[in-house]
Amino acid sequence: MTFFLQMLVTGIVVGSIYGLVALGFVLIYRASGALNLANGEFVIIGPYICLVLMTAYKIPFILSLVITLIFSAILGLVVERLVIRPIQNAPVVSVIMATIGLSSLLGGAVHMLWGHQTRTFPQVFPSTPINFSGLIITPVYLWSFIVVIVLLLLFSLFFKFSKMGIAMRAVADDRQAALSMGISVKFVYAATWAIASVVAAVGGVLLGNINGLSPTMAAIGLTVLPVVILGGLDSVLGAIVGGFIIGILQNMAGGYLDPLIGGGLKEVAPFIVVLLILMLKPYGLFGSRGIERV
Amino acid sequence: MLQVNNIEAVYSKIILALKGMSLHVPEGKIVALLGSNGAGKSTTLKAISGLLSGDGGQITDGTIEFEGEKINNITPDIIVRKGIFLCMEGRRVFGDLTVEENLMAGAYTRKNRTTIKDDMEKIYVYFPKLKALQHRKAGFLSGGEQQMLAIGRGIMAKPKLLLLDEPSLGIAPLLVKEIFQNIKQINQEEGTSILVVEQNANVALSIADYGYIMESGRVVMQGNADILLSNEEVREHYLGMGKDGEKNYKENKMYRRRQRLVW
Ligand SMILES: Nc1ncnc2c1ncn2[C@@H]1O[C@H](COP(=O)(O)OP(=O)(O)OP(=O)(O)O)[C@@H](O)[C@H]1O
Ligand SMILES: [Mg+2]
Protein backbone atom coordinates (compact mmCIF):
# COMPACT_ATOMS: atom_id res chain seq x y z
CA MET A 1 0.00 0.00 0.00
CA THR A 2 2.73 2.48 0.87
CA PHE A 3 4.41 1.60 -2.40
CA PHE A 4 1.21 2.46 -4.22
CA LEU A 5 0.91 5.77 -2.36
CA GLN A 6 4.54 6.52 -3.01
CA MET A 7 4.05 5.99 -6.74
CA LEU A 8 0.87 8.05 -6.64
CA VAL A 9 2.55 10.99 -4.92
CA THR A 10 5.50 10.92 -7.28
CA GLY A 11 3.07 10.73 -10.18
CA ILE A 12 1.08 13.69 -8.94
CA VAL A 13 4.16 15.85 -8.45
CA VAL A 14 5.72 15.03 -11.80
CA GLY A 15 2.29 15.28 -13.40
CA SER A 16 1.77 18.76 -12.03
CA ILE A 17 5.03 19.82 -13.68
CA TYR A 18 3.90 18.23 -16.95
CA GLY A 19 0.70 20.22 -16.61
CA LEU A 20 2.65 23.45 -16.21
CA VAL A 21 4.81 22.77 -19.25
CA ALA A 22 1.76 21.67 -21.22
CA LEU A 23 0.08 24.95 -20.35
CA GLY A 24 2.69 26.85 -22.34
CA PHE A 25 2.17 24.48 -25.22
CA VAL A 26 -1.61 24.97 -25.15
CA LEU A 27 -1.34 28.76 -24.97
CA ILE A 28 0.68 28.82 -28.17
CA TYR A 29 -1.65 26.40 -29.87
CA ARG A 30 -4.67 28.50 -28.94
CA ALA A 31 -3.09 31.72 -30.13
CA SER A 32 -1.67 30.53 -33.43
CA GLY A 33 -3.00 27.04 -34.11
CA ALA A 34 0.56 25.73 -34.22
CA LEU A 35 2.27 23.06 -32.14
CA ASN A 36 5.48 24.36 -30.66
CA LEU A 37 7.80 21.40 -31.12
CA ALA A 38 10.68 23.36 -29.60
CA ASN A 39 8.91 23.30 -26.24
CA GLY A 40 11.29 20.64 -24.87
CA GLU A 41 14.28 22.89 -25.55
CA PHE A 42 12.49 25.75 -23.80
CA VAL A 43 12.26 23.40 -20.82
CA ILE A 44 15.98 22.67 -20.62
CA ILE A 45 17.57 26.01 -21.42
CA GLY A 46 16.17 27.69 -18.31
CA PRO A 47 17.54 25.22 -15.75
CA TYR A 48 20.99 25.22 -17.39
CA ILE A 49 21.17 28.95 -17.01
CA CYS A 50 19.94 28.75 -13.45
CA LEU A 51 22.52 26.06 -12.71
CA VAL A 52 25.39 28.03 -14.23
CA LEU A 53 24.39 31.14 -12.30
CA MET A 54 24.38 29.15 -9.08
CA THR A 55 27.57 27.16 -9.58
CA ALA A 56 29.83 29.42 -11.61
CA TYR A 57 28.70 32.75 -10.22
CA LYS A 58 27.60 31.61 -6.76
CA ILE A 59 24.33 33.50 -7.01
CA PRO A 60 21.69 32.29 -4.52
CA PHE A 61 18.92 30.10 -5.90
CA ILE A 62 16.05 32.56 -5.71
CA LEU A 63 17.97 35.31 -7.45
CA SER A 64 19.26 32.86 -10.07
CA LEU A 65 15.70 31.74 -10.68
CA VAL A 66 14.48 35.31 -11.15
CA ILE A 67 17.27 36.03 -13.65
CA THR A 68 16.49 32.76 -15.42
CA LEU A 69 12.83 33.64 -15.76
CA ILE A 70 13.62 37.09 -17.11
CA PHE A 71 15.98 35.49 -19.60
CA SER A 72 13.33 32.95 -20.58
CA ALA A 73 10.75 35.67 -21.18
CA ILE A 74 13.22 37.44 -23.45
CA LEU A 75 14.02 34.19 -25.24
CA GLY A 76 10.29 33.71 -25.89
CA LEU A 77 9.97 37.26 -27.23
CA VAL A 78 13.01 36.88 -29.48
CA VAL A 79 11.79 33.58 -30.90
CA GLU A 80 8.39 35.08 -31.60
CA ARG A 81 9.89 38.14 -33.25
CA LEU A 82 12.55 36.40 -35.35
CA VAL A 83 11.04 33.02 -36.15
CA ILE A 84 7.29 33.13 -35.78
CA ARG A 85 6.17 36.63 -36.76
CA PRO A 86 7.81 36.61 -40.20
CA ILE A 87 5.77 33.54 -41.11
CA GLN A 88 2.57 34.29 -39.21
CA ASN A 89 0.47 34.36 -42.38
CA ALA A 90 2.01 31.16 -43.72
CA PRO A 91 0.14 27.84 -43.35
CA VAL A 92 0.20 26.31 -39.87
CA VAL A 93 2.40 23.48 -41.13
CA SER A 94 5.14 25.98 -41.96
CA VAL A 95 5.02 27.32 -38.43
CA ILE A 96 5.30 23.80 -37.03
CA MET A 97 8.25 23.09 -39.35
CA ALA A 98 9.91 26.26 -38.13
CA THR A 99 9.56 25.10 -34.53
CA ILE A 100 11.18 21.78 -35.48
CA GLY A 101 14.12 23.71 -36.91
CA LEU A 102 14.23 25.87 -33.83
CA SER A 103 14.24 22.76 -31.67
CA SER A 104 17.37 21.41 -33.43
CA LEU A 105 19.05 24.77 -33.21
CA LEU A 106 18.40 25.28 -29.51
CA GLY A 107 19.14 21.62 -28.74
CA GLY A 108 22.46 21.91 -30.54
CA ALA A 109 23.29 25.07 -28.65
CA VAL A 110 22.65 23.32 -25.34
CA HIS A 111 25.00 20.47 -26.29
CA MET A 112 27.65 22.91 -27.44
CA LEU A 113 27.51 25.11 -24.38
CA TRP A 114 26.98 22.62 -21.62
CA GLY A 115 27.96 19.19 -22.93
CA HIS A 116 25.89 16.05 -22.67
CA GLN A 117 26.69 14.72 -19.22
CA THR A 118 24.13 14.86 -16.46
CA ARG A 119 24.61 17.64 -13.93
CA THR A 120 23.05 17.97 -10.56
CA PHE A 121 21.73 21.11 -8.96
CA PRO A 122 23.44 22.23 -5.77
CA GLN A 123 21.35 21.37 -2.77
CA VAL A 124 18.45 23.87 -2.81
CA PHE A 125 15.76 22.14 -0.84
CA PRO A 126 16.51 20.34 2.44
CA SER A 127 17.21 16.66 1.86
CA THR A 128 15.72 15.11 5.00
CA PRO A 129 12.51 13.45 3.86
CA ILE A 130 9.28 14.42 5.53
CA ASN A 131 7.32 11.54 7.00
CA PHE A 132 3.55 11.84 6.65
CA SER A 133 2.56 8.85 8.80
CA GLY A 134 4.47 6.31 6.76
CA LEU A 135 4.34 8.16 3.47
CA ILE A 136 7.76 9.56 2.80
CA ILE A 137 8.08 12.69 0.72
CA THR A 138 11.29 14.49 -0.07
CA PRO A 139 11.03 18.28 0.33
CA VAL A 140 11.91 18.92 -3.31
CA TYR A 141 8.75 17.06 -4.34
CA LEU A 142 6.63 18.92 -1.87
CA TRP A 143 8.02 22.29 -2.88
CA SER A 144 7.69 21.57 -6.58
CA PHE A 145 4.06 20.70 -6.07
CA ILE A 146 3.40 23.86 -4.08
CA VAL A 147 5.14 26.05 -6.67
CA VAL A 148 3.18 24.51 -9.53
CA ILE A 149 -0.17 24.79 -7.78
CA VAL A 150 0.44 28.43 -6.83
CA LEU A 151 1.47 29.23 -10.40
CA LEU A 152 -1.56 27.50 -11.88
CA LEU A 153 -3.82 29.42 -9.50
CA LEU A 154 -2.19 32.70 -10.46
CA PHE A 155 -2.65 31.85 -14.12
CA SER A 156 -6.31 31.06 -13.75
CA LEU A 157 -6.83 34.39 -11.98
CA PHE A 158 -4.86 36.10 -14.73
CA PHE A 159 -6.99 34.58 -17.50
CA LYS A 160 -10.24 35.18 -15.70
CA PHE A 161 -9.82 38.74 -14.49
CA SER A 162 -6.92 40.63 -16.04
CA LYS A 163 -7.29 42.79 -19.11
CA MET A 164 -4.43 40.98 -20.82
CA GLY A 165 -5.75 37.53 -19.88
CA ILE A 166 -9.17 38.29 -21.34
CA ALA A 167 -7.52 39.73 -24.45
CA MET A 168 -5.50 36.54 -24.89
CA ARG A 169 -8.64 34.43 -24.71
CA ALA A 170 -10.43 36.77 -27.10
CA VAL A 171 -7.63 36.40 -29.66
CA ALA A 172 -7.77 32.61 -29.31
CA ASP A 173 -11.53 32.75 -29.85
CA ASP A 174 -11.83 35.04 -32.89
CA ARG A 175 -8.73 36.83 -34.07
CA GLN A 176 -10.44 39.26 -36.44
CA ALA A 177 -13.08 40.22 -33.87
CA ALA A 178 -10.33 40.71 -31.28
CA LEU A 179 -8.62 43.08 -33.70
CA SER A 180 -11.86 45.02 -33.99
CA MET A 181 -11.85 45.51 -30.19
CA GLY A 182 -8.54 47.34 -30.59
CA ILE A 183 -6.60 44.42 -29.11
CA SER A 184 -3.12 44.35 -30.56
CA VAL A 185 -2.82 40.78 -31.75
CA LYS A 186 0.94 41.20 -32.23
CA PHE A 187 1.32 42.13 -28.59
CA VAL A 188 -0.79 39.18 -27.50
CA TYR A 189 1.28 36.74 -29.58
CA ALA A 190 4.51 38.10 -28.14
CA ALA A 191 3.16 37.84 -24.59
CA THR A 192 2.00 34.29 -25.28
CA TRP A 193 5.47 33.16 -26.34
CA ALA A 194 7.04 34.90 -23.37
CA ILE A 195 4.65 33.19 -20.94
CA ALA A 196 5.08 29.79 -22.59
CA SER A 197 8.83 30.12 -22.35
CA VAL A 198 8.67 31.14 -18.69
CA VAL A 199 6.41 28.28 -17.59
CA ALA A 200 8.63 25.85 -19.49
CA ALA A 201 11.67 27.19 -17.62
CA VAL A 202 9.95 26.88 -14.24
CA GLY A 203 9.02 23.28 -15.08
CA GLY A 204 12.59 22.64 -16.18
CA VAL A 205 14.13 24.05 -13.01
CA LEU A 206 11.83 21.95 -10.85
CA LEU A 207 12.51 18.78 -12.86
CA GLY A 208 16.22 19.56 -12.78
CA ASN A 209 16.12 19.76 -9.01
CA ILE A 210 14.31 16.43 -8.86
CA ASN A 211 16.18 14.37 -11.45
CA GLY A 212 19.32 16.27 -12.37
CA LEU A 213 19.89 17.98 -15.65
CA SER A 214 20.95 16.62 -19.02
CA PRO A 215 20.14 17.47 -22.64
CA THR A 216 17.98 14.34 -22.88
CA MET A 217 15.50 16.10 -20.62
CA ALA A 218 14.30 17.88 -23.74
CA ALA A 219 12.39 14.67 -24.37
CA ILE A 220 9.82 16.12 -22.00
CA GLY A 221 8.68 17.99 -25.07
CA LEU A 222 7.63 14.60 -26.37
CA THR A 223 6.03 13.55 -23.08
CA VAL A 224 3.99 16.69 -22.98
CA LEU A 225 2.55 15.92 -26.40
CA PRO A 226 0.35 13.08 -25.10
CA VAL A 227 -0.56 15.33 -22.18
CA VAL A 228 -1.98 18.05 -24.39
CA ILE A 229 -3.53 15.68 -26.88
CA LEU A 230 -5.19 13.87 -24.02
CA GLY A 231 -6.48 17.08 -22.46
CA GLY A 232 -7.52 18.60 -25.77
CA LEU A 233 -5.04 20.81 -27.55
CA ASP A 234 -6.92 24.02 -26.89
CA SER A 235 -7.92 23.51 -23.28
CA VAL A 236 -5.96 25.00 -20.41
CA LEU A 237 -7.86 22.90 -17.89
CA GLY A 238 -7.21 19.88 -20.11
CA ALA A 239 -3.47 20.51 -20.03
CA ILE A 240 -3.46 20.43 -16.25
CA VAL A 241 -5.74 17.43 -15.84
CA GLY A 242 -3.86 15.66 -18.65
CA GLY A 243 -0.59 16.41 -16.87
CA PHE A 244 -1.76 14.72 -13.70
CA ILE A 245 -3.14 11.70 -15.55
CA ILE A 246 0.02 11.14 -17.57
CA GLY A 247 2.28 11.73 -14.56
CA ILE A 248 0.40 9.19 -12.46
CA LEU A 249 0.16 6.66 -15.28
CA GLN A 250 3.84 6.89 -16.02
CA ASN A 251 4.82 6.24 -12.46
CA MET A 252 2.34 3.44 -11.97
CA ALA A 253 3.53 1.76 -15.14
CA GLY A 254 7.12 2.30 -14.09
CA GLY A 255 6.53 0.99 -10.57
CA TYR A 256 4.35 -2.04 -11.24
CA LEU A 257 4.77 -3.13 -14.85
CA ASP A 258 8.36 -2.34 -15.70
CA PRO A 259 9.80 -4.81 -13.13
CA LEU A 260 7.64 -7.54 -14.71
CA ILE A 261 8.62 -7.02 -18.31
CA GLY A 262 12.04 -5.57 -17.81
CA GLY A 263 11.40 -1.85 -18.33
CA GLY A 264 10.40 0.55 -21.06
CA LEU A 265 6.69 0.74 -20.35
CA LYS A 266 7.07 3.92 -18.34
CA GLU A 267 7.83 5.81 -21.50
CA VAL A 268 5.27 4.05 -23.69
CA ALA A 269 2.29 3.88 -21.36
CA PRO A 270 1.19 7.49 -21.87
CA PHE A 271 1.02 7.03 -25.62
CA ILE A 272 -0.99 3.82 -25.33
CA VAL A 273 -3.52 5.48 -23.06
CA VAL A 274 -3.76 8.52 -25.30
CA LEU A 275 -4.45 6.26 -28.28
CA LEU A 276 -7.25 4.53 -26.40
CA ILE A 277 -8.82 7.77 -25.20
CA LEU A 278 -8.64 9.40 -28.60
CA MET A 279 -10.61 6.50 -30.05
CA LEU A 280 -13.45 7.46 -27.73
CA LYS A 281 -12.93 11.23 -27.67
CA PRO A 282 -11.17 12.40 -30.84
CA TYR A 283 -10.68 15.96 -29.55
CA GLY A 284 -9.28 14.90 -26.19
CA LEU A 285 -11.01 15.12 -22.84
CA PHE A 286 -11.67 18.86 -22.86
CA GLY A 287 -10.80 19.93 -26.38
CA SER A 288 -13.18 21.56 -28.80
CA ARG A 289 -11.27 21.91 -32.02
CA GLY A 290 -9.93 19.38 -34.42
CA ILE A 291 -6.42 18.20 -33.94
CA GLU A 292 -3.88 19.61 -36.32
CA ARG A 293 -2.37 16.89 -38.43
CA VAL A 294 1.38 17.20 -38.69
CA MET B 1 -16.21 64.09 -38.38
CA LEU B 2 -15.61 61.14 -40.69
CA GLN B 3 -14.89 61.80 -44.32
CA VAL B 4 -14.34 59.00 -46.82
CA ASN B 5 -13.00 60.34 -50.10
CA ASN B 6 -13.09 58.31 -53.27
CA ILE B 7 -11.57 55.16 -51.85
CA GLU B 8 -10.76 52.13 -53.87
CA ALA B 9 -10.33 48.77 -52.14
CA VAL B 10 -9.24 45.38 -53.42
CA TYR B 11 -9.24 41.88 -51.97
CA SER B 12 -6.43 39.45 -52.83
CA LYS B 13 -4.91 42.21 -54.97
CA ILE B 14 -7.44 41.58 -57.78
CA ILE B 15 -11.04 41.71 -56.59
CA LEU B 16 -12.09 45.33 -56.79
CA ALA B 17 -14.73 45.80 -54.08
CA LEU B 18 -14.84 49.61 -53.75
CA LYS B 19 -14.55 51.86 -56.80
CA GLY B 20 -14.50 55.46 -55.65
CA MET B 21 -16.59 55.23 -52.52
CA SER B 22 -17.24 58.48 -50.67
CA LEU B 23 -19.32 59.35 -47.65
CA HIS B 24 -19.51 61.75 -44.75
CA VAL B 25 -20.64 61.28 -41.17
CA PRO B 26 -21.28 64.57 -39.36
CA GLU B 27 -20.69 64.76 -35.61
CA GLY B 28 -23.55 63.48 -33.49
CA LYS B 29 -25.61 62.21 -36.42
CA ILE B 30 -26.84 58.81 -37.51
CA VAL B 31 -26.01 57.92 -41.10
CA ALA B 32 -27.40 54.85 -42.86
CA LEU B 33 -25.48 53.01 -45.58
CA LEU B 34 -27.79 50.84 -47.67
CA GLY B 35 -27.45 48.60 -50.68
CA SER B 36 -27.92 45.09 -51.96
CA ASN B 37 -25.74 42.08 -51.19
CA GLY B 38 -22.16 42.42 -52.30
CA ALA B 39 -22.45 46.17 -52.88
CA GLY B 40 -19.40 46.78 -50.69
CA LYS B 41 -21.01 48.03 -47.47
CA SER B 42 -19.04 45.81 -45.13
CA THR B 43 -15.89 46.50 -47.10
CA THR B 44 -16.42 50.22 -46.54
CA LEU B 45 -16.72 49.74 -42.78
CA LYS B 46 -13.69 47.44 -42.65
CA ALA B 47 -11.69 49.98 -44.64
CA ILE B 48 -12.58 52.70 -42.13
CA SER B 49 -11.59 50.52 -39.15
CA GLY B 50 -8.33 49.31 -40.67
CA LEU B 51 -9.53 45.71 -40.72
CA LEU B 52 -9.20 45.03 -44.44
CA SER B 53 -5.75 43.50 -44.21
CA GLY B 54 -7.03 40.80 -41.87
CA ASP B 55 -9.28 39.68 -44.75
CA GLY B 56 -6.58 39.92 -47.37
CA GLY B 57 -7.68 43.32 -48.64
CA GLN B 58 -6.21 46.78 -48.88
CA ILE B 59 -7.07 50.37 -49.77
CA THR B 60 -5.43 51.27 -53.07
CA ASP B 61 -6.63 54.81 -53.60
CA GLY B 62 -8.39 57.69 -51.87
CA THR B 63 -8.30 58.90 -48.27
CA ILE B 64 -10.18 58.40 -45.04
CA GLU B 65 -10.15 61.29 -42.60
CA PHE B 66 -11.33 61.26 -39.01
CA GLU B 67 -11.51 64.58 -37.17
CA GLY B 68 -9.32 66.09 -39.85
CA GLU B 69 -6.65 63.42 -39.59
CA LYS B 70 -5.83 60.90 -42.30
CA ILE B 71 -6.36 57.39 -40.97
CA ASN B 72 -5.86 55.02 -43.86
CA ASN B 73 -3.02 52.56 -43.35
CA ILE B 74 -3.22 52.82 -39.58
CA THR B 75 -3.56 49.59 -37.59
CA PRO B 76 -6.98 48.76 -36.08
CA ASP B 77 -5.84 49.05 -32.47
CA ILE B 78 -4.83 52.67 -33.01
CA ILE B 79 -8.03 53.45 -34.90
CA VAL B 80 -10.08 52.11 -31.97
CA ARG B 81 -8.02 54.31 -29.64
CA LYS B 82 -8.82 57.29 -31.84
CA GLY B 83 -12.50 56.63 -31.21
CA ILE B 84 -13.88 54.49 -34.05
CA PHE B 85 -15.38 51.13 -33.13
CA LEU B 86 -16.83 48.58 -35.55
CA CYS B 87 -19.48 46.03 -34.55
CA MET B 88 -18.74 43.46 -37.22
CA GLU B 89 -21.26 41.72 -39.43
CA GLY B 90 -22.56 38.49 -37.91
CA ARG B 91 -22.12 39.66 -34.28
CA ARG B 92 -18.80 37.89 -33.74
CA VAL B 93 -19.12 37.67 -29.96
CA PHE B 94 -16.40 35.65 -28.22
CA GLY B 95 -18.27 32.39 -27.70
CA ASP B 96 -15.93 30.98 -25.03
CA LEU B 97 -16.07 34.15 -22.97
CA THR B 98 -18.93 35.10 -20.68
CA VAL B 99 -21.15 38.10 -21.40
CA GLU B 100 -19.27 40.11 -18.81
CA GLU B 101 -15.88 39.14 -20.24
CA ASN B 102 -17.06 40.11 -23.72
CA LEU B 103 -17.93 43.54 -22.37
CA MET B 104 -14.52 43.73 -20.71
CA ALA B 105 -12.90 42.88 -24.04
CA GLY B 106 -14.82 45.79 -25.56
CA ALA B 107 -13.30 48.08 -22.94
CA TYR B 108 -9.77 46.89 -23.78
CA THR B 109 -8.49 50.22 -25.11
CA ARG B 110 -10.05 52.35 -22.38
CA LYS B 111 -7.55 54.38 -20.40
CA ASN B 112 -9.82 55.28 -17.54
CA ARG B 113 -10.61 51.88 -16.07
CA THR B 114 -12.29 52.98 -12.87
CA THR B 115 -15.65 53.61 -14.53
CA ILE B 116 -15.79 50.28 -16.37
CA LYS B 117 -18.12 48.71 -13.81
CA ASP B 118 -20.50 51.67 -13.98
CA ASP B 119 -20.58 51.52 -17.75
CA MET B 120 -21.31 47.83 -17.61
CA GLU B 121 -24.33 48.60 -15.47
CA LYS B 122 -25.37 51.15 -18.09
CA ILE B 123 -25.26 48.44 -20.77
CA TYR B 124 -27.57 46.36 -18.62
CA VAL B 125 -29.96 49.31 -18.51
CA TYR B 126 -29.96 49.57 -22.30
CA PHE B 127 -30.27 45.81 -22.65
CA PRO B 128 -31.90 44.43 -19.49
CA LYS B 129 -31.89 40.89 -20.94
CA LEU B 130 -28.11 40.79 -20.73
CA LYS B 131 -28.10 41.41 -16.99
CA ALA B 132 -29.50 37.98 -16.17
CA LEU B 133 -27.07 36.38 -18.61
CA GLN B 134 -23.91 38.12 -17.47
CA HIS B 135 -22.11 34.96 -16.37
CA ARG B 136 -23.32 32.82 -19.28
CA LYS B 137 -20.94 31.97 -22.10
CA ALA B 138 -21.76 34.20 -25.04
CA GLY B 139 -21.78 31.20 -27.39
CA PHE B 140 -24.96 29.99 -25.68
CA LEU B 141 -26.89 33.23 -26.19
CA SER B 142 -29.63 33.57 -28.79
CA GLY B 143 -28.93 35.57 -31.94
CA GLY B 144 -30.76 38.62 -30.64
CA GLU B 145 -29.01 38.51 -27.29
CA GLN B 146 -25.68 38.18 -29.05
CA GLN B 147 -26.48 41.22 -31.16
CA MET B 148 -27.25 43.24 -28.03
CA LEU B 149 -23.96 42.06 -26.57
CA ALA B 150 -22.09 43.02 -29.74
CA ILE B 151 -23.51 46.54 -29.55
CA GLY B 152 -22.90 46.66 -25.80
CA ARG B 153 -19.26 45.77 -26.41
CA GLY B 154 -19.10 48.75 -28.73
CA ILE B 155 -20.49 51.11 -26.09
CA MET B 156 -17.94 49.82 -23.57
CA ALA B 157 -15.20 51.18 -25.82
CA LYS B 158 -16.77 54.66 -25.49
CA PRO B 159 -16.20 55.47 -29.17
CA LYS B 160 -16.89 58.81 -30.77
CA LEU B 161 -18.07 57.00 -33.88
CA LEU B 162 -19.80 53.64 -33.79
CA LEU B 163 -19.94 51.59 -36.98
CA LEU B 164 -22.69 48.95 -37.04
CA ASP B 165 -22.73 46.26 -39.72
CA GLU B 166 -26.23 44.83 -40.17
CA PRO B 167 -27.46 44.83 -36.57
CA SER B 168 -30.76 43.33 -37.80
CA LEU B 169 -29.17 40.23 -39.33
CA GLY B 170 -31.15 37.12 -38.42
CA ILE B 171 -33.32 38.86 -35.84
CA ALA B 172 -37.11 38.83 -35.51
CA PRO B 173 -38.81 42.03 -36.79
CA LEU B 174 -40.12 43.05 -33.39
CA LEU B 175 -36.68 42.83 -31.81
CA VAL B 176 -35.16 44.70 -34.74
CA LYS B 177 -37.36 47.69 -33.91
CA GLU B 178 -36.27 47.48 -30.28
CA ILE B 179 -32.58 47.29 -31.15
CA PHE B 180 -32.85 50.28 -33.44
CA GLN B 181 -34.60 52.23 -30.71
CA ASN B 182 -31.62 51.39 -28.48
CA ILE B 183 -29.26 52.62 -31.18
CA LYS B 184 -31.13 55.90 -31.39
CA GLN B 185 -31.03 56.19 -27.62
CA ILE B 186 -27.26 55.59 -27.52
CA ASN B 187 -26.83 58.29 -30.14
CA GLN B 188 -28.85 60.78 -28.12
CA GLU B 189 -27.63 59.97 -24.64
CA GLU B 190 -23.96 59.29 -25.30
CA GLY B 191 -23.64 61.68 -28.20
CA THR B 192 -22.06 58.90 -30.24
CA SER B 193 -22.09 59.43 -34.00
CA ILE B 194 -23.29 56.32 -35.80
CA LEU B 195 -22.80 54.86 -39.25
CA VAL B 196 -25.14 51.91 -39.70
CA VAL B 197 -25.13 49.44 -42.58
CA GLU B 198 -28.43 47.72 -43.23
CA GLN B 199 -30.39 45.46 -45.56
CA ASN B 200 -33.51 46.55 -43.76
CA ALA B 201 -33.62 50.03 -45.30
CA ASN B 202 -36.92 50.95 -43.74
CA VAL B 203 -35.93 50.60 -40.14
CA ALA B 204 -32.47 52.08 -40.71
CA LEU B 205 -33.83 55.20 -42.42
CA SER B 206 -36.44 55.59 -39.69
CA ILE B 207 -33.74 56.45 -37.14
CA ALA B 208 -31.13 57.97 -39.48
CA ASP B 209 -30.56 61.61 -40.34
CA TYR B 210 -28.96 60.94 -43.67
CA GLY B 211 -28.63 57.96 -45.98
CA TYR B 212 -26.39 56.64 -48.72
CA ILE B 213 -27.31 53.92 -51.15
CA MET B 214 -24.47 52.04 -52.76
CA GLU B 215 -24.24 49.62 -55.65
CA SER B 216 -21.18 47.74 -56.89
CA GLY B 217 -18.61 49.65 -54.93
CA ARG B 218 -19.85 53.22 -55.09
CA VAL B 219 -22.64 55.52 -53.92
CA VAL B 220 -25.52 55.75 -56.37
CA MET B 221 -27.92 57.87 -54.35
CA GLN B 222 -27.88 59.93 -51.18
CA GLY B 223 -30.09 62.31 -49.27
CA ASN B 224 -31.83 63.14 -46.03
CA ALA B 225 -33.46 60.08 -44.53
CA ASP B 226 -37.03 61.37 -44.87
CA ILE B 227 -36.46 62.30 -48.49
CA LEU B 228 -35.03 58.86 -49.28
CA LEU B 229 -37.93 57.24 -47.48
CA SER B 230 -40.44 59.00 -49.71
CA ASN B 231 -38.42 58.70 -52.90
CA GLU B 232 -40.21 56.54 -55.51
CA GLU B 233 -37.12 54.73 -56.70
CA VAL B 234 -35.91 53.95 -53.22
CA ARG B 235 -39.33 52.76 -52.16
CA GLU B 236 -39.52 50.50 -55.14
CA HIS B 237 -36.05 48.95 -55.08
CA TYR B 238 -34.89 49.07 -51.49
CA LEU B 239 -38.01 49.16 -49.38
CA GLY B 240 -39.87 46.59 -51.46
CA MET B 241 -42.85 48.90 -51.89
CA GLY B 242 -44.76 49.52 -55.12
CA LYS B 243 -46.10 52.92 -56.17
CA ASP B 244 -49.26 52.51 -54.18
CA GLY B 245 -47.34 51.42 -51.13
CA GLU B 246 -48.14 47.71 -51.34
CA LYS B 247 -45.32 45.20 -51.10
CA ASN B 248 -44.11 44.17 -54.50
CA TYR B 249 -41.37 41.63 -54.12
CA LYS B 250 -41.78 40.10 -57.54
CA GLU B 251 -41.11 43.25 -59.46
CA ASN B 252 -38.29 44.04 -57.14
CA LYS B 253 -36.67 40.72 -57.90
CA MET B 254 -37.12 41.21 -61.63
CA TYR B 255 -35.43 44.55 -61.41
CA ARG B 256 -32.53 43.03 -59.53
CA ARG B 257 -32.18 40.35 -62.15
CA ARG B 258 -32.13 42.91 -64.92
CA GLN B 259 -29.57 44.93 -63.05
CA ARG B 260 -27.36 41.94 -62.57
CA LEU B 261 -27.42 41.22 -66.30
CA VAL B 262 -26.36 44.75 -67.06
CA TRP B 263 -23.34 44.57 -64.73
N1 LIG C 1 -12.46 38.45 -47.88
C1 LIG C 1 -12.84 38.66 -49.14
N2 LIG C 1 -12.08 38.19 -50.15
C2 LIG C 1 -12.44 38.39 -51.42
N3 LIG C 1 -13.53 39.07 -51.81
C3 LIG C 1 -14.34 39.58 -50.85
C4 LIG C 1 -14.03 39.39 -49.48
N4 LIG C 1 -14.98 39.99 -48.75
C5 LIG C 1 -15.84 40.52 -49.64
N5 LIG C 1 -15.47 40.28 -50.91
C6 LIG C 1 -16.14 40.72 -52.12
O1 LIG C 1 -16.24 42.12 -52.10
C7 LIG C 1 -17.52 42.55 -52.53
C8 LIG C 1 -18.17 43.41 -51.49
O2 LIG C 1 -18.41 42.65 -50.33
P1 LIG C 1 -19.04 43.24 -49.01
O3 LIG C 1 -18.89 42.21 -47.96
O4 LIG C 1 -18.47 44.56 -48.73
O5 LIG C 1 -20.56 43.38 -49.41
P2 LIG C 1 -21.79 43.88 -48.54
O6 LIG C 1 -22.33 45.08 -49.20
O7 LIG C 1 -21.41 44.00 -47.13
O8 LIG C 1 -22.82 42.69 -48.76
P3 LIG C 1 -23.81 41.99 -47.71
O9 LIG C 1 -25.01 42.84 -47.65
O10 LIG C 1 -24.11 40.67 -48.35
O11 LIG C 1 -23.10 41.85 -46.42
C9 LIG C 1 -18.31 41.29 -52.84
O12 LIG C 1 -18.29 41.10 -54.24
C10 LIG C 1 -17.56 40.19 -52.15
O13 LIG C 1 -17.64 39.00 -52.88
MG1 LIG D 1 -21.88 42.99 -45.44
Side-chain angles (χ1 to χ4, degrees), chain B residues 42 89 165-166:
Chain B
S42 301
E89 186 173 354
D165 199 344
E166 296 201 33

Short mmCIF file of all heavy atoms in Angstrom, two decimals, chain B residues 42 89 165-166, ligand 2:
data_model
loop_
_atom_site.label_atom_id
_atom_site.label_comp_id
_atom_site.label_asym_id
_atom_site.label_seq_id
_atom_site.Cartn_x
_atom_site.Cartn_y
_atom_site.Cartn_z
N SER B 42 -19.94 46.30 -46.18
CA SER B 42 -19.04 45.81 -45.13
C SER B 42 -17.60 46.20 -45.44
O SER B 42 -16.83 46.53 -44.53
CB SER B 42 -19.12 44.29 -45.01
OG SER B 42 -20.44 43.91 -44.69
N GLU B 89 -20.13 42.47 -38.91
CA GLU B 89 -21.26 41.72 -39.43
C GLU B 89 -21.27 40.32 -38.82
O GLU B 89 -20.22 39.71 -38.65
CB GLU B 89 -21.11 41.61 -40.96
CG GLU B 89 -22.28 40.98 -41.65
CD GLU B 89 -22.16 41.06 -43.17
OE1 GLU B 89 -21.23 41.70 -43.67
OE2 GLU B 89 -23.01 40.47 -43.84
N ASP B 165 -22.54 46.99 -38.46
CA ASP B 165 -22.73 46.26 -39.72
C ASP B 165 -23.89 45.29 -39.58
O ASP B 165 -23.78 44.26 -38.93
CB ASP B 165 -21.45 45.52 -40.10
CG ASP B 165 -21.43 45.14 -41.58
OD1 ASP B 165 -22.52 45.16 -42.20
OD2 ASP B 165 -20.35 44.82 -42.10
N GLU B 166 -25.01 45.65 -40.16
CA GLU B 166 -26.23 44.83 -40.17
C GLU B 166 -26.65 44.33 -38.79
O GLU B 166 -26.69 43.12 -38.55
CB GLU B 166 -26.07 43.65 -41.13
CG GLU B 166 -25.91 44.13 -42.55
CD GLU B 166 -26.26 43.06 -43.58
OE1 GLU B 166 -27.15 42.24 -43.29
OE2 GLU B 166 -25.65 43.08 -44.65
MG MG C 2 -21.88 42.99 -45.44
#
